Amino acid sequence: MCRRFALSMGFVVGMITNEGDEMANDIEANITNLDEHVAIRTEKLRRLQETGNDPFRHVVFDATHKSADIISNYEEGLDVSLAGRMMTRRIMGQATFVHVQDAYGQIQVYVRKDEIGDDIYAEFEDFDIGDIIGICGKVFKTKTGEVSIRAANIILLSKSLRGLPEKFHGIKDPEARRRHRELDLIMNREVKDVFITRSKIIRFIREYLDGQGFIEVETPVLQTLAGGTTAKPFTTHHNTLDIDLYLRISLELFLKRLVIGGIERVYEIGRNFRNEGMSSRHNPEFTMMELYQAYTDYNGMMELCENLFRGAAEAVLGNAVFKYDGNTIDFGKPFERITMHDAVKKYTGIAFDEISFNEAVAKCKEHDIFVEKRYGKGDLLNQFFEKYVEEHLIQPTFILDYPIEISPLAKLHPDNPEYTLRFELFINRMELANAFSELNDPMDQRRRFLHQESLREQGDDEAQHLDEDFLRALEVGLPPTGGIGIGVDRLIMLLTGQTSIRDILLFPTMKPV
């Protein structure tokens, strides 16, 4: 099952050319710039290469089994081959115990000198913690009952020059863990589990939407206008076209154009980019899922959203009720629904529909809320909501009927044109979804865009641009449509118990050191 690997003669010849000598000299010259630990391992590498045993040679190793399967399906005497990283070593005379870690866990390997031979054992003794090795042997249990592999052969597959953090403590500093995610994944199994769960959640979203008849698409990341929401974009330059472009801040406008084109149920899971602040809930690039469904409205989006969240929790946690940040979150019950106006009234006692704009401004001053000149009454209501309501929204709550001032892409509410058919979903004080009955009146949409342009002129650099291409498409005719955007990263935070977005992103944005 396992055989010795040898370098081809062509490779050996290649190693003794002038180019190979120059490379060896470069390595030698740089050793003095490395710390002592790395220098020792680099010297070992040099000796291996000189003897024709380069650990970075081309090797294909046939790993027949996974560590977790060997342990869970124990079979005495089973022949196995396994590859992974050597994590620990305990020498006991003429024998050594090591733990080897693959993608699925760790397993102990028992290596005896008289069973694998003097030459192989001598090479094995020079292996370092962190090296990638291949083992062939038979499964057995030690006297303490630990499922192990009795090695018949062992081979170095790749050399670790830098090694691993101290085995008992791993990497604990959050910044170091995020900057060196590869070490974090090696040393902290629970971290790997978070990202495996992330993958499961995204897979569930796709399977759920595919099952509802939605079609997944991809739309441009580079855009001539940053539209679809209010946010600060990143800019870049296309050399061939000699134009500035924006990294998209939303998936919305292109997806609506596809609904206009006859794709009645469409979604995209993709990265958005916003050149704004960073916090435990905000990263400059993040994953969104947006979908649009013809012939429904924001009520249909609430039903879809609730079913998707409940299904995701049950799929990855096995339960719709779970703990997060010290709170018990219940996805099993129907999500609460309350208008923004009524939520503000509930927590402040102020009924905005019953007071004038000037009275609303006075209320803001009484409550130490800053008022910009460009604000309308709806902006003031939203300021009260953010300050006094969000902190109370622990259980899943749909906040309905947002003011027109902050909802330039949502259809007007038929009972009150100061509001729109828009909702946001809040859980544990976080916004996780934003949805509309989509505005499909091209004349009204143009007026809204022009108002956004006027806000930009007044200093609101997050206001939207007038998008003539989108308006032209809207004039072709958008059917009555419901749309929703879900913050995938925040949903993953909830279902993995992580309170910082940086801990569910493999490589979060960080300032270089």
Side-chain angles (χ1 to χ4, degrees), residues 179-196:
R179 287 187 184 279
H180 304 285
R181 187 67 83 187
E182 66 283 354
L183 294 176
D184 192 23
L185 293 168
I186 292 168
M187 301 304 297
N188 299 315
R189 175 67 206 191
E190 66 276 11
V191 172
K192 185 180 291 185
D193 290 340
V194 166
F195 291 103
I196 291 172

Side-chain angles (χ1 to χ4, degrees), residues 1-52:
M1 181 184 297
C2 212
R3 62 180 184 274
R4 298 288 290 156
F5 294 86
L7 295 171
S8 68
M9 181 59 70
F11 188 86
V12 174
V13 169
M15 287 296 294
I16 61 175
T17 61
N18 289 335
E19 182 180 352
D21 288 341
E22 290 174 5
M23 183 181 297
N25 290 336
D26 287 342
I27 292 174
E28 193 72 32
N30 282 318
I31 285 179
T32 56
N33 297 324
L34 301 172
D35 61 51
E36 183 180 359
H37 180 76
V38 177
I40 292 171
R41 291 188 178 214
T42 306
E43 176 60 23
K44 286 184 180 181
L45 171 64
R46 185 184 64 79
R47 293 199 305 267
L48 286 168
Q49 291 172 333
E50 285 181 348
T51 59

